[in-house]
Amino acid sequence: MSQVHVDTIYDKAGTGRPDFPAGLTASGPVSVGGTLTYQDVTNIDAVGLVTARTGVRITAGGLVVTAGVTTFSGADINIDGTAVGVTSVTWDASADSLIFKDKSYLKFGDSSDLSIYHDGSHSFITDGGTGSLKIGSDGLSIQIADYSETMAVFTPNAAVDLYYNDTKRLHTDGAGSY
């Protein structure tokens, strides 16, 4: 096995870095104990830190993160679904919103028992697991989408009011209903 050990390599003039216009080939592992600068590389295997000019694409094997991930500099984050080129979920940084496209489900539970989704025409909350779907509140008001009309009001330890066209039509109290 041949080995080459050098402290410094200079260009022909002895004033700067050398240029290898025909490339440089190594038939075995190469170790660099300082900073390695490279350009126009299509494939690279690296262990450690990488600073990339135009992003990093992880293909075969995926990406495993063993520590926290922080800061995306306020940029949007897209999560692609099964259809090629289709973003199913987007973190819209400018709107501070997690946006799910039609037919993209938000699921909860070990068996995905609870799901929330929109199919393009209707919105659904589905509880398909054991137990009941419970809604807890210290006062519940159901209104139309723009909040301009009330449909029902549930007051803890008190009345339930049902409305028709924003007019109370049915009311319960401690003695019954009217």
Side-chain angles (χ1 to χ4, degrees):
M1 171 197 236
S2 300
Q3 293 186 358
V4 176
H5 297 274
V6 295
D7 288 325
T8 306
I9 300 176
Y10 292 104
D11 63 6
K12 283 193 277 184
T15 58
R17 292 179 290 188
D19 185 20
F20 301 98
L24 183 62
T25 303
S27 61
V30 175
S31 295
V32 177
T35 301
L36 174 64
T37 303
Y38 58 91
Q39 294 178 349
D40 299 325
V41 176
T42 49
N43 295 299
I44 186 167
D45 291 327
V47 175
L49 257 247
V50 175
T51 301
R53 292 182 182 175
T54 59
V56 176
R57 180 173 297 275
I58 310 295
T59 55
L63 173 66
V64 177
V65 178
T66 59
V69 176
T70 53
T71 190
F72 288 98
S73 302
D76 290 353
I77 301 169
N78 295 316
I79 301 171
D80 295 337
T82 56
V84 176
V86 175
T87 299
S88 296
V89 180
T90 300
W91 169 255
D92 184 339
S94 64
D96 281 336
S97 298
L98 187 59
I99 301 169
F100 289 75
K101 299 289 184 179
D102 288 344
K103 299 179 185 170
S104 292
Y105 291 74
L106 181 59
K107 294 191 174 193
F108 299 90
D110 291 343
S111 300
S112 299
D113 300 338
L114 176 66
S115 65
I116 302 172
Y117 73 99
H118 188 269
D119 71 358
S121 299
H122 303 284
S123 300
F124 298 87
I125 299 174
T126 305
D127 176 20
T130 57
S132 300
L133 174 64
K134 297 181 179 185
I135 300 172
S137 176
D138 287 333
L140 178 63
S141 176
I142 300 174
Q143 300 174 329
I144 66 171
D146 68 0
Y147 299 102
S148 64
E149 291 184 20
T150 300
M151 293 186 283
V153 175
F154 301 85
T155 306
N157 302 314
V160 172
D161 299 318
L162 299 179
Y163 292 75
Y164 175 82
N165 197 22
D166 205 33
T167 302
K168 187 189 310 184
R169 296 297 183 187
L170 182 62
H171 171 85
T172 65
D173 58 24
S177 63
Y178 67 90

